[in-house]
Every structure is written in C-alpha cells, then in structure tokens.
Amino acid sequence: MFKPLGIDHIVLRVTDLDRMLAFYCEALGCHVERREDKIGLIQLRAGSALIDLVPVDSELGRPGGGAPGAEGRNLDHFCLRIEPFEEGVIRDHLARHGIEAGPVKSRYGAEGIGPSIYIEDPEGNVVELKGPGDGR
C-alpha cells in the first residue's frame, strides 16, 4: 500500500500568462523552475510542490475547453503553507502588489488548525495562504 505525502503539483489553465507569472513569482515568491514553451507549460517552484501554468490556447491547454472564469473555474482553491505567518507583514506585502486579502481565520489544514488568509490570483483562482497548525 502507499500513502500520500503532500501536494506534488497543481495545474492552472490561464489566459494571461504574464499577469499570472507576476502574481505567483513577484507577489508570492515562487520561481520558474522549468519551461516547455513549445507545448505550453511553465512550472513554478512553491516549496516542495509545483504550480503548473498552462495557457488555454497552448497544445496542453486546448483540450481543456474554454477558459476558466467566474462561472466555470477549474479549481475551488489550493493552499500554500507559508512561513512566517505575520498578518501585518503579509497584508503589507500583498497590498504592494495590489492584492486584496480576506480576513485571517483559523482553519484546519495538513498540520492541524492554524491561521490562514484567502486571496485571488489575477484570473480568479482562490489561493489560501496557511500558517502553522497546532498539530492536532
């Protein structure tokens, strides 16, 4: 038998690659690890996981149908574990990038109950930024 160890990667189909790269790299601190421009794949490193960006008009993106939007997203949300979780610092940083953040709430995650905050990327995908859990 096997057991899951964590999120390996997620794939987001995107319409504005430049805005998405700026959001994930400049605002959230990911970096481009690998590009396969011929087929339309940009892989961003996010700690031990990857976030794949696939333009909807690329070889990889076309089979997925229409572009994501408010009426048909490809994903409810995904969560990035961040450290340190200092609300004021997080809010100031996000504001400098024009990102509005929701309220901090205690939510259950892989490490137990801990603080988290929801934001949206430029194409409306919801991203949860999660602090440490209580271990329960």
Side-chain angles (χ1 to χ4, degrees):
M1 190 60 185
F2 59 87
K3 63 180 180 178
L5 299 178
I7 294 175
D8 182 86
H9 70 279
I10 64 159
V11 180
L12 297 176
R13 297 177 64 246
V14 305
T15 58
D16 189 334
L17 181 60
D18 291 336
R19 281 186 66 203
M20 295 295 272
L21 283 169
F23 177 85
Y24 285 100
C25 294
E26 295 171 21
L28 296 189
C30 298
H31 67 272
V32 175
E33 180 163 306
R34 187 169 164 259
R35 287 186 79 122
E36 296 284 336
D37 291 318
K38 183 177 177 186
I39 61 171
L41 172 66
I42 298 86
Q43 293 181 299
L44 308 178
R45 175 60 59 183
S48 63
L50 295 174
I51 299 170
D52 295 355
L53 302 179
V54 176
V56 296
D57 60 353
S58 69
E59 182 179 327
L60 287 180
R62 282 189 298 272
E71 297 301 316
R73 298 184 307 202
N74 292 331
L75 177 73
D76 178 72
H77 81 277
F78 68 93
C79 179
L80 296 176
R81 169 65 164 84
I82 64 168
E83 204 167 274
F85 194 95
E86 298 174 4
E87 182 179 1
V89 173
I90 293 168
R91 286 190 184 283
D92 289 347
H93 175 77
L94 294 173
R96 284 193 300 277
H97 290 278
I99 300 165
E100 187 176 327
V104 171
K105 293 186 178 179
S106 281
R107 295 181 175 97
Y108 187 80
E111 297 176 356
I113 296 173
S116 77
I117 193 166
Y118 282 3
I119 60 174
E120 287 187 4
D121 74 15
E123 297 194 1
N125 296 296
V126 178
V127 182
E128 179 181 357
L129 303 178
K130 181 90 171 62
D134 61 6
R136 292 187 258 161

